[in-house]
Amino acid sequence: MPEPRRIQPLPPELISQIAAGEVVERPASVVKELIENALDAGARRIHIRVRGAGRQLIEVADDGHGIPADQLPLAVARHATSKIRSAEDLFRIMSLGFRGEALAAIGSVSRLTLTSRPPDAAMAARIRVEGGRQVGPVEPVPGPVGTVVRVEDLFYNVPARRKFLKKPATERRAIDAMVMRYALAYPDVRFRLEHDGRLTLHTPGRGERRDVLAALYGSEIARQMIPVLSEDPDLGLTIQGFISPPGLTRSHRRDMLFFVNGRPVHDAALAAAVLQGYQNALMKGRYPISVLFITLPPEAVDVNVHPTKAEVRFRDPDAVFRAVARAVRKALMAHAPLAADGSTLTQWDVIRPRWATPAQAAGAPRADVPPPEPPTLEPLPELHDATETDASVPQDALAPAAEPSPAEPLLRLVGQVAATYLVAEGPDGLYLIDQHAAHERVLFERLRAQWLSQQPASQRLLEPVTLVLPPHQARALEEQLDTLRALGYDIEPFGLNMFRVCAVPALFASQDPTRAVQVAVEDIDEDETPLAHAREERLIARICKGLAVKAGQRLSPEEQARLLQDLLACENPRTCPHGRPTMIHIPVQALERQFGRLGPR
Ligand code: ADP
Ligand code: MG
């Protein structure tokens, strides 16, 4: 039997490092803690400078109340805080910080310099910490009122942690998302974020949340967002913020943001409550953009659940969730009132905004939006190329005229059902074709062929259009500019998160050019791995998915015929680029069996 190993107390620095692991997971967590400290200090201006995606440098400067020189050693010590004094305080926390461990934790896994000057001090003072140990004395230095925290070489002494960092683009995106959350929560604070000397985000600090939304998501989305405001005096609960109309959605929940008493939180149940508020208005697998601020008495919520303070526990969770669902519902109803006949939202109403033209979308202020009309015929994007108009489509286009690929049966179009599926007859039975998946496949193969040809057909715009993107999407777009050029786009960055679109692939000539660009950076997965080619193909698939005709869009007979014909001409007509089937085959025998013509016998 092996001898028992001796139990020994851990050295203090190791204890700090272990504790730091809970608070400081990645550069974005440092940013979070430093912003919270600045906000707790009453800052009106917070500047964040980042180098090397946060590994080289994170510097947060604020104009808050500062720290007196003699308290600097305490500020970087563990479990030292100015924010709570007693256990009771834990249950009525009004500040963002309270655990007194962030600076100590950060200092134990980096080289930290804290410089601060309260308004009544003549000079600033500075303290330095390396790997948890104070280096040199507290020194007076010149500096403005407020605090600057510099964190260099994050995780230099914790190689294991360093290995777990994601690629720089991902860490940068996490930082952007973090700053964005606080910028939304504190619209009267001016935030400024720089990566490697480049301004990435800045908010005016005028106290207007819509300003911040515009800085983050672009003015178009900001304009479309629906305000939410609900109060429940019994609970002392207020819910305010913005939600997107049902036509403006994402394929992920990352843009569903929640804040409880000014603190960003992750809470799946809150997200579920919002979705419930939308009832059936959202398509399956689609999620709204929502930014909701929930305020309730501090004793009704426990924020001391997790070291990162990103989770909370409500005293009466069900009441809070019900209130959130109701608030969302109410805001949506105010936005799109019941139809005149008293019927509730139909599916058409709900689906329609997805293909509203920019002009429709940009329409009148939402209070007097006319009741939705049934969907109109919209041209299929690439069906309207310069050489052909609807009128010139010959009647016999109803049958696939072009040579279908030999492997596929010749299909005769029967029509469209539910504005979503094409019905066709083949020699061996019935075919149901998912129009969106089919169109995705058609576009994908064409755009891919353009890319492989290395001479993509490009359509210059008469007037370049300008596009403002949220910071993380702007970054993603920049990273993809070369590939996009190889697809026939011509996009120039100019200004902060702004781009000039000068040309789009000819394939999308009839689409709204801003949309044709936006789809390239919407719904990007957190960790897209750039395998050779796979990356381009994914981009191509994403663009085509975004621009393909949607379910619920009624197509003219000519458009149906053209889509069927194009699909049959594809190399892989049976699946969409994401691998889902484009068509379902029902053999004649199956029909006969169903009708009892062909007994089991
Ligand atoms: P906590 O925020 O939980 O109190 P921290 O380790 O983050 O713990 O900070 C320790 C203390 O240092 C705070 O309680 C506060 O008094 C002081 N402090 C930290 N950052 C700032 C800042 N930017 N401005 C003023 N005081 C600060
Ligand atoms: Mg703190």
Side-chain angles (χ1 to χ4, degrees):
M1 206 186 282
E3 264 184 47
R5 292 181 60 179
R6 283 173 56 80
I7 302 178
Q8 283 179 330
L10 293 170
E13 280 139 39
L14 189 49
I15 296 178
S16 310
Q17 273 186 22
I18 292 171
E22 296 177 347
V23 184
V24 189
E25 241 179 328
R26 59 195 299 191
S29 2
V30 173
V31 172
K32 171 190 164 77
E33 294 296 338
L34 298 183
I35 291 179
E36 288 196 349
N37 282 347
L39 290 168
D40 280 344
R44 304 303 306 258
R45 202 167 44 72
I46 302 180
H47 285 190
I48 303 140
R49 294 202 302 139
V50 176
R51 289 196 178 277
R55 270 178 64 168
Q56 248 173 295
L57 170 74
I58 296 171
E59 183 189 277
V60 176
D62 68 57
D63 60 354
H65 60 51
I67 309 170
D70 61 328
Q71 302 225 316
L72 286 177
L74 271 178
V76 296
R78 282 185 73 199
H79 308 309
T81 180
S82 57
K83 299 173 193 175
I84 57 171
R85 296 267 178 266
S86 68
E88 286 123 68
D89 289 350
L90 259 188
F91 297 95
R92 45 167 191 248
I93 285 170
M94 298 303 284
S95 54
L96 293 165
F98 55 88
R99 300 173 60 101
E101 60 183 11
L103 286 183
I106 297 166
S108 73
V109 293
S110 70
R111 302 181 220 278
L112 176 135
T113 313
L114 172 60
T115 312
S116 194
R117 178 179 155 199
D120 56 2
M123 288 274 273
R126 181 174 73 190
I127 189 170
R128 293 192 309 161
V129 176
E130 270 192 37
R133 247 179 289 191
Q134 182 174 339
V135 182
V138 174
E139 295 173 310
V141 288
V145 170
T147 303
V148 183
V149 185
R150 264 178 89 83
V151 178
E152 286 162 285
D153 304 324
L154 183 63
F155 300 133
Y156 79 95
N157 54 348
V158 200
R161 189 59 87 170
R162 222 165 40 221
K163 267 187 231 131
F164 274 98
L165 290 181
K166 308 243 165 77
K167 60 181 168 125
T170 309
E171 295 298 342
R172 261 200 304 271
R173 211 147 45 212
I175 293 173
D176 295 350
M178 191 62 83
V179 176
M180 176 164 160
R181 287 169 163 246
Y182 286 94
L184 277 167
Y186 297 86
D188 41 11
V189 177
R190 289 174 61 173
F191 284 85
R192 217 184 130 87
L193 169 65
E194 268 175 39
H195 281 284
D196 303 309
R198 268 196 53 191
L199 186 61
T200 300
L201 182 152
H202 98 131
T203 63
R206 276 196 298 247
E208 278 293 326
R209 276 216 175 99
R210 232 185 253 272
D211 281 354
V212 185
L213 280 175
L216 300 176
Y217 289 101
S219 50
E220 180 50 34
I221 288 185
R223 204 184 45 70
Q224 288 187 47
M225 296 290 279
I226 304 168
V228 175
L229 179 58
S230 277
E231 273 170 303
D232 186 330
D234 295 340
L235 293 169
L237 174 82
T238 328
I239 300 166
Q240 49 181 319
F242 293 92
I243 55 174
S244 62
L248 179 59
T249 56
R250 303 281 201 238
S251 66
H252 54 77
R253 298 166 196 246
R254 285 196 299 278
D255 283 325
M256 297 181 71
L257 307 181
F258 299 95
F259 302 80
V260 174
N261 290 351
R263 185 189 299 283
V265 298
H266 293 286
D267 191 322
L270 285 176
V274 168
L275 295 178
Q276 205 183 1
Y278 276 85
Q279 292 188 347
N280 300 320
L282 297 171
M283 298 248 202
K284 196 155 177 279
R286 303 296 303 181
Y287 303 93
I289 303 172
S290 65
V291 183
L292 290 183
F293 300 89
I294 301 169
T295 32
L296 67 182
E299 62 276 8
V301 50
D302 183 359
V303 293
N304 190 22
V305 181
H306 192 265
T308 61
K309 299 164 289 175
E311 282 165 39
V312 295
R313 207 172 286 142
F314 297 109
R315 204 171 54 193
D316 186 354
D318 289 346
V320 175
F321 302 149
R322 271 198 309 273
V324 168
R326 229 180 300 124
V328 167
R329 186 81 206 128
K330 196 178 101 186
L332 286 171
M333 295 296 261
H335 164 68
L338 293 181
D341 62 2
S343 65
T344 44
L345 297 172
T346 68
Q347 227 196 339
W348 290 128
D349 302 334
V350 165
I351 295 174
R352 188 167 164 278
R354 291 177 65 83
W355 63 85
T357 62
Q360 282 171 313
R366 71 190 41 86
D368 46 50
V369 183
E373 296 153 26
T376 47
L377 294 180
E378 285 263 339
L380 264 187
E382 94 286 20
L383 296 186
H384 284 239
D385 48 19
T387 54
E388 217 164 14
T389 64
D390 266 356
S392 71
V393 175
Q395 254 327 98
D396 64 6
L398 289 178
E403 319 84 330
S405 80
E408 287 308 311
L410 209 66
L411 300 186
R412 183 181 67 84
L413 178 71
V414 178
Q416 190 187 23
V417 276
T420 298
Y421 306 102
L422 302 186
V423 185
E425 184 197 1
D428 51 352
L430 184 68
Y431 286 78
L432 287 172
I433 294 145
D434 179 317
Q435 67 190 34
H436 170 68
H439 198 211
E440 230 181 310
R441 163 55 67 185
V442 170
L443 292 179
F444 177 78
E445 292 202 358
R446 293 189 174 177
L447 191 57
R448 189 166 167 273
Q450 291 283 318
W451 172 59
L452 293 173
S453 77
Q454 302 193 342
Q455 289 197 318
S458 185
Q459 172 74 54
R460 298 243 125 233
L461 305 181
L462 291 176
E463 290 256 345
V465 295
T466 317
L467 176 68
V468 181
L469 290 173
H472 61 284
Q473 288 190 358
R475 213 87 320 104
L477 188 62
E478 271 163 19
E479 285 163 22
Q480 304 189 106
L481 283 181
D482 288 340
T483 315
L484 288 169
R485 200 158 298 126
L487 295 175
Y489 285 92
D490 180 359
I491 305 168
E492 298 164 5
F494 88 111
L496 178 60
N497 302 329
M498 288 211 289
F499 298 87
R500 212 191 330 253
V501 183
C502 305
V504 297
L507 193 57
F508 306 133
S510 65
Q511 300 250 7
D512 169 11
T514 51
R515 174 100 194 111
V517 174
Q518 253 159 1
V519 292
V521 289
E522 268 174 15
D523 296 346
I524 295 194
D525 293 335
E526 259 297 299
D527 282 304
E528 283 197 359
T529 35
L531 301 172
H533 274 213
R535 183 186 159 117
E536 282 85 356
E537 296 212 338
R538 235 145 146 180
L539 173 64
I540 294 172
R542 187 161 61 232
I543 292 172
C544 295
K545 181 181 166 64
L547 296 179
V549 56
K550 301 285 185 288
Q553 182 166 346
R554 206 166 288 167
L555 306 178
S556 72
E558 292 76 20
E559 290 168 338
Q560 299 169 26
R562 176 64 87 87
L563 178 55
L564 182 60
Q565 174 185 332
D566 289 347
L567 178 66
L568 295 179
C570 280
E571 239 171 87
N572 288 305
R574 290 197 167 257
T575 57
C576 81
H578 300 92
R580 273 177 289 106
T582 54
M583 54 174 97
I584 297 175
H585 174 212
I586 305 174
V588 178
Q589 290 90 323
L591 292 174
E592 292 188 327
R593 209 165 284 126
Q594 286 289 320
F595 283 111
R597 289 177 181 274
L598 203 72
R601 256 185 276 192

